[in-house]
Amino acid sequence: MASESGCSAPLLPAGSSHRRATGGWRSALFIIWVEVAERFAYYGISSNLISYLTGPLGESTAAAAAAVNAWAGAASMLPLLGAAVADSWLGRYRTIVASSVLYIAGLGMLALSSMFSAPQTQQCTLSAGGQRACSSSSSLQTAFFYVSLYLVAVAQSGHKPCVQAFGADQFDTMDPRESSSRSSFFNWWYFGICASATVTIALMSYIQDNVSWGVGFGVPCLVMMLALAVFLFGTKTYRFYDSSNGQGASIFACAAVVLNAWRQRRSTEGGALAEHNIVILEEVRSMAKLFPIWATCLPYGVVFAQPPTLFTKQAATLDRRVGSSSFQVPPAALQCFMGISMITCVVLYDRVLVPVARRFTGAASGITMLQRIGTGMALALAALVVAALVEMTRLNTVRDAGIVDQPDAVVPMSLWWIVPQYVLLGAADVFTMVGMQEFFYDQMPGALKSLGLALYLSVVGVGSFMSSFLISVIDGVTKRDGGTSWFADNLNLGHLDYFYLLLGALTALELLAYLYFSSSYVYNRKNVDVH
């Protein structure tokens, strides 16, 4: 039964007599495959979006990078609203279905927008400062494109937090065997989406660069339709949770009770109400102590925003031929190395690191969730240092080859130079991103699990907004009075190395603050084995 507070209701399956026929890996596999398909659709758009903006739409590198970051930020922040709607009203299952329909509509409109009269004959010139000046694209095409793009972001608001929370709900933490499986669920969940992202980026970036953007945006729409069909097919295997007796108003009930308790804080009347309010304020306090952890994770969100934007533009300048063949790897496809790193690290983490660490710590999860997050932050710092060194080497190579003023010239430098930064950041994601998923899901009250996962997504969202803001400000400051932007369209004149070093400094400060707050954090649940 849900608690009357609607804020800390334990999740008990409705119809527990059917427990053996529902839930567990049987249901989770359906849900994982749904997420695999959804990630195919998402990365089919996001991984190469900067190429579309700087190509057919004719935007500058700085403007395109800022626009991609802003959209990614919206897509990652809106789940806070979607999770609240799911936890407080619709429920996760219905929210997933509704969001999937909206997702399909947005993707279909996106494919349609790319079929408008595209400015293929645009005349673009580069100024002495390395900025591109192009004839304007169709205002109708641009407007329809951005409306479609943000419709996808709105669809993500309900889909992203609810699918993962609904998958984790299929495991009962009160059952020792299922509790252990739930921890593995987060690892294999991430394995699935990394594998999907790797295949998507390799396939769709090639189609978009060499076939057409219409097909490149249309295929994700078809895949998302398949995802909805798979999800509906597994309905009879899912465990659904009782939303009666107040749980359906969970987050709003919490807010109302907190406000009421504040108004009556000096009143001694109503013992039952006072006791009820004390419980809720305790719940609010347990959520409030998550804020320092959330805040110190934000710079990692900024780092996370770089691979589909500036890393991709950086890769586009390199020699991307494979061996002696004439085939060139699409710039966005180099993100596959990040996916391969993630897949490899998930397997090594789950099958090697955890069993070894378990012998020393005695914890079922090997290392704590917070230790896992901190390890990823350190790896992200290493990735930024490597990225800065590679960019310095690239600029020196450009000067030595005498092609500084030739933005379309291929830099005589192999694509393998840029691979290490993708590999390191992929490993960082396995630690930090998966750690945040499990941490925020685990530490939120039972009725607000979707909101917990939305909280982890908001780290990526706020980080993307911060990246967009930093790029816009730095671009404006560095090209003031005729100067050259760090993000010049002719990257041979820019200084991405300075930007990576700046992010490295912010990440180092973040890591110190994180270590301070995480060292004193006390887990909410007494039965958490990482205590």
Side-chain angles (χ1 to χ4, degrees):
M1 297 291 288
S3 67
E4 290 183 353
S5 70
C7 193
S8 59
L11 298 179
L12 298 176
S16 56
S17 61
H18 300 292
R19 172 179 293 277
R20 293 182 180 179
T22 60
W25 283 109
R26 178 194 302 104
S27 301
L29 288 175
F30 273 110
I31 300 169
I32 287 176
W33 279 110
V34 169
E35 182 68 3
V36 165
E38 188 276 334
R39 289 292 85 186
F40 184 100
Y42 179 79
Y43 283 108
I45 300 170
S46 65
S47 63
N48 206 22
L49 185 57
I50 194 168
S51 297
Y52 185 78
L53 296 181
T54 56
L57 291 191
E59 297 185 4
S60 68
T61 297
V68 172
N69 288 161
W71 173 73
S76 298
M77 287 297 293
L78 284 172
L80 286 170
L81 176 61
V85 170
D87 286 339
S88 306
W89 177 40
L90 277 181
R92 289 164 196 159
Y93 178 85
R94 283 176 290 186
T95 301
I96 293 168
V97 173
S99 298
S100 296
V101 173
L102 194 61
Y103 217 131
I104 293 167
L107 291 169
M109 291 171 60
L110 202 60
L112 182 62
S113 74
S114 66
M115 298 177 187
F116 286 170
S117 179
Q120 300 293 343
T121 57
Q122 268 190 344
Q123 298 297 317
C124 298
T125 58
L126 285 173
S127 65
Q131 297 301 118
R132 180 187 290 111
C134 301
S135 57
S136 300
S137 60
S138 164
S139 58
L140 178 61
Q141 178 193 12
T142 302
F144 193 79
F145 171 79
Y146 275 107
V147 168
S148 306
L149 192 64
Y150 275 88
L151 185 59
V152 172
V154 172
Q156 271 238 125
S157 69
H159 198 282
K160 188 61 179 172
C162 292
V163 174
Q164 190 171 12
F166 193 61
D169 286 348
Q170 305 307 310
F171 300 94
D172 183 4
T173 56
M174 302 307 291
D175 182 308
R177 181 176 297 180
E178 290 196 13
S179 179
S180 177
S181 294
R182 197 195 73 176
S183 184
S184 290
F185 165 78
F186 283 99
N187 288 329
W188 291 108
W189 172 276
Y190 209 65
F191 178 91
I193 64 176
C194 290
S196 176
T198 302
V199 173
T200 302
I201 292 167
L203 177 63
M204 300 312 300
S205 61
Y206 180 83
I207 291 175
Q208 291 162 353
D209 288 351
N210 297 279
V211 180
S212 76
W213 285 99
V215 175
F217 289 148
V219 171
C221 180
L222 296 176
V223 171
M224 197 59 208
M225 293 174 68
L226 176 63
L228 177 58
V230 169
F231 181 73
L232 293 174
F233 184 75
T235 298
K236 291 185 178 180
T237 74
Y238 303 145
R239 286 179 185 167
F240 296 90
Y241 293 92
D242 188 7
S243 61
S244 63
N245 298 324
Q247 184 177 326
S250 56
I251 190 169
F252 300 111
C254 285
V257 170
V258 170
L259 180 60
N260 187 53
W262 176 257
R263 290 173 176 173
Q264 301 182 33
R265 65 191 183 280
R266 294 183 180 178
S267 174
T268 58
E269 298 178 359
L273 178 61
E275 182 179 351
H276 175 73
N277 287 344
I278 289 174
V279 172
I280 301 303
L281 290 168
E282 286 300 320
E283 292 289 354
V284 171
R285 187 178 295 111
S286 71
M287 289 187 287
K289 71 177 184 178
L290 297 176
F291 179 76
I293 303 297
W294 178 85
T296 51
C297 287
L298 291 180
Y300 184 84
V302 180
V303 181
F304 187 81
Q306 305 317 310
T309 53
L310 297 181
F311 279 20
T312 297
K313 295 300 292 183
Q314 187 182 16
T317 67
L318 303 179
D319 182 356
R320 290 172 281 107
R321 290 176 298 175
V322 177
S324 58
S325 67
S326 60
F327 174 76
Q328 289 201 55
V329 178
L334 289 176
Q335 294 173 61
C336 288
F337 288 105
M338 190 173 170
I340 293 170
S341 175
M342 292 176 184
I343 293 170
T344 303
C345 288
V346 165
V347 175
L348 291 176
Y349 183 90
D350 197 68
R351 298 304 181 191
V352 179
L353 191 150
V354 170
V356 171
R358 189 181 292 145
R359 296 177 183 177
F360 295 94
T361 64
S365 58
I367 60 176
T368 70
M369 292 177 281
L370 291 176
Q371 288 171 343
R372 182 173 187 172
I373 295 171
T375 301
M377 291 179 182
L379 288 170
L381 175 58
L384 288 170
V385 173
V386 169
L389 293 174
V390 169
E391 180 61 9
M392 291 176 188
T393 303
R394 192 191 71 84
L395 292 175
N396 288 333
T397 303
V398 164
R399 286 190 286 270
D400 293 342
I403 57 173
V404 173
D405 296 319
Q406 301 176 40
D408 296 326
V410 176
V411 178
M413 187 173 166
S414 171
L415 63 87
W416 297 107
W417 276 89
I418 203 172
V419 169
Q421 64 200 62
Y422 284 106
V423 172
L424 283 170
L425 200 50
D429 274 1
V430 170
F431 283 88
T432 297
M433 298 300 284
V434 181
M436 284 196 297
Q437 288 174 19
E438 186 173 5
F439 176 76
F440 287 116
Y441 176 88
D442 187 87
Q443 294 296 288
M444 289 293 282
L448 301 177
K449 296 296 187 182
S450 297
L451 190 63
L453 288 174
L455 198 61
Y456 122 77
L457 286 169
S458 70
V459 170
V460 178
V462 175
S464 294
F465 283 128
M466 290 171 63
S467 178
S468 179
F469 175 76
L470 283 172
I471 290 173
S472 297
V473 170
I474 293 172
D475 179 60
V477 170
T478 53
K479 68 182 181 183
R480 185 183 299 166
D481 300 325
T484 302
S485 171
W486 286 5
F487 314 103
D489 292 317
N490 179 0
L491 289 185
N492 299 336
L493 297 174
H495 272 294
L496 293 185
D497 51 339
Y498 292 173
F499 184 63
Y500 294 150
L501 289 175
L502 174 62
L503 293 187
L506 292 175
T507 302
L509 292 174
E510 161 215 26
L511 184 55
L512 291 175
Y514 174 83
L515 292 174
Y516 173 78
F517 287 110
S518 63
S519 63
S520 58
Y521 184 86
V522 178
Y523 289 90
N524 290 337
R525 292 167 51 202
K526 294 181 180 180
N527 62 335
V528 175
D529 60 14
V530 296
H531 226 131

